[in-house]
Amino acid sequence: MIRFEEVTKEYPDGTRAVKNLNLEIRKGEFVCLIGPSGCGKTTTLKMVNRLVEPTRGTIYVDGQDIMKVDPVHLRRRIGYVIQQIGLFPHMTIEENIALVPRLLGWDRERCRRRVEELLPLVGLDPDQYRHRYPRELSGGQQQRVGVLRALAAEPDLILMDEPFGALDPITREALQDELKKLQAKLHKTILFVTHDMDEALKLADRIVLMKDGEVVQDGSPEDLLRHPANDFVAAFIGRERMAQAVGATPVEELMIRRPVTAGPSKGLAEAVQLMRQKRVDSVVVVDEDNRLLGVVTARQIQQHRDRARTLGEIMSGEPACVEVGAPVTEALQRMFVERLDHLPVVDRERRLVGLITRTTLVDLLSREGWPNGSPGGSGQGVSA
Amino acid sequence: MAAFLSEFGSYLVSNADRLLELTVEHLQLSLAAVGFGLLVGIPGGVLMARFRRLVGPVLWVTNALQTVPALALAGFLMILFGLGRGTGIAVLFCYTLMPILRATYTGITSVDPALVEAARGMGMTRWQILRMVQLPLALSVLLVGVRVATVIAIGTATILSLIGAGGLGQEIFAGIRRVSDVRILAGAVPAALLAVLADAGISWLERRLTSPGLRVERSAAQS
Ligand SMILES: Nc1ncnc2c1ncn2[C@@H]1O[C@H](COP(=O)(O)OP(=O)(O)O)[C@@H](O)[C@H]1O
Ligand SMILES: [Mg+2]
């Protein structure tokens, strides 16, 4: 739907607002452009409808190089919503909404019907509101009309530049919810600029985070929260949100993937040898099919070494475990409540796939505070 | 005083036709000048708003014109237009130009840039933005300029009878020559009335032409 190829924008005063941008936005995507003030979000957005023209590079909309299209025609098929709302105060609500259709030459009747169809979408009664003037509406209502105005001529693509930025928090949330509902119904392609991470996380299918005119990270809200590309992204997202998101991480991302295992018939002396060798303090007992039987710790072996000979004899009967896909928070909570040092992770067939230990908690904390290593799970094969 | 008033009244009655003719002439002269002022001033103001480099020089010239005494201006313009109404209208035009240019320029530049940007982003052409957004929003400021221009024109027109432009000035100067208070007033009072009426007329026009959407704004701002 939109493609930026090597796009650079340098303002006449020498400010390089956008640097060598490559970005593709697919049909039906809701993409949030986010970043600190001055990072080039607005410039990027305005290049799409040619309110700003790129210094270098090419932008395609619907496969067409926009520099080869008449800007007036281009803009009439792209919806545009700005933070300042920008309703024309001397026109009625109806005239404001029907403006682009009128520019496109729709007849009066068709415009009227379109307005009648649109106003209820945001909960405004056409009979009550169509003949009012913008001043007679609250800020939230005005921006609802602002969104409708962008939708009026049925564009496939809509650009929004911090549309809810000037509204109070309650109204803002209400409008976000409405926009989300509208999008679920209409499936437009939306490029949405914001500097509010909560807003981006709530609305976007995809978040493009910018800094100094460059894309720092481009991915789903999940990606950003769970695998921030660098310190800047992590700081921008904020500890709190990441902690929340990390808590929702499935256990398999943090578990030890190849815990030390042994069969139930393994002798205690051998088991101790094994633990020493692998420098761990526990061993997971499994059968030949790798099905979980129990966990034995070094301390248990020490306590039972006079009376027992094999692991099978001292392991607890019904070992606690979690299934793949459970959130890490749930696992940690169980470990805390049931006073467990180790929690095996199993698949549907109770086959062992990993182990959560207290070190997992340390990993988790380091993630919240950011950063230490490879996204996608902690080290392998070494338990505490 | 009473004697004077009755004398004044009977003079008005017996010269009603001629005075009415002079009044109409006066009004025509002034309105023609304002008309040309609008014709040049509005496009001029629009151009100034678009090409800001013009603002300084244009305002300097029109300001300078404004300070030249009417009769001196008439002297210069007579070379072009000869003795009579043509020169009269040209002189008045010079005086109406500055307020109209300035008001147009101010009106257009005071339109919220976000609105203009929104208009552009929606795919309006420059002309459509001017006609559908900038001028309607600049209207009340523009009309202030028109009002000033009209009042100046009506007032200054009285002097221009000296160069044969006609109008109520004829009566006033005839009164001065003959030291007749009655005749001076018979010219001055209708001229003053014209100015007051023109002022009221333009206020009325402003109310008629301004969108209710903007009127609400003003009353809201006052409350
Ligand atoms: N018209 C302009 N002329 C010069 N510099 C500009 C202009 N518009 C924006 N900039 C500069 O370009 C950079 C990016 O601006 P912008 O795209 O508005 O950022 P954002 O929307 O992310 O806050 C900033 O440094 C800003 O000062
Ligand atoms: Mg911006």
Side-chain angles (χ1 to χ4, degrees), chain A residues 37-38 40-43 83 161-162 193:
Chain A
S37 176
K41 307 181 292 290
T42 297
T43 304
Q83 177 174 2
D161 195 348
E162 309 202 19
V193 164

Side-chain angles (χ1 to χ4, degrees), chain A residues 90 133, chain B residues 135-137 139-140 142-143 201-215:
Chain A
H90 58 296
Y133 288 90
Chain B
L135 285 178
L137 291 174
L139 189 72
S140 60
L142 176 59
L143 286 176
I202 290 168
S203 301
W204 175 81
L205 206 64
E206 187 186 344
R207 258 175 286 126
R208 280 296 305 272
L209 293 179
T210 308
S211 151
L214 299 174
R215 238 179 286 151

